[in-house]
Amino acid sequence: VCRRFSEEFGGATVRRNHEGYWVDDDGNLVDDTVDVAFTYDDEIDESVVKEIAEYVKAELGEDAVLYTIEEAQTAFV
């Protein structure tokens, strides 16, 4: 993920070991450790982000991988 984000969008940041929760098909609350990867660019290509999410889902055997694209104002100093 970091390599692809860096190649496509110029960089990546990862926040590791966040707590995540979801409810399975049997109604059980499942806790999950979540790593969140970020990238910033003026124009994020959603098809690239979706492709990366699908790769992660397949490689890690996940039921789902969440991605979001939000507008952000950023600057380097």
Side-chain angles (χ1 to χ4, degrees), residues 40 72-77:
Y40 299 97
Q73 292 184 343
T74 61
F76 288 103
V77 178

Side-chain angles (χ1 to χ4, degrees), residues 2-34:
C2 291
R3 175 173 290 279
R4 278 298 301 278
F5 276 180
S6 296
E7 290 171 350
E8 297 285 343
F9 308 115
T13 300
V14 177
R15 294 183 182 164
R16 298 196 183 279
N17 299 317
H18 287 263
E19 294 178 19
Y21 299 90
W22 53 282
V23 177
D24 68 14
D25 292 338
D26 295 325
N28 300 308
L29 181 65
V30 178
D31 64 326
D32 204 356
T33 301
V34 179

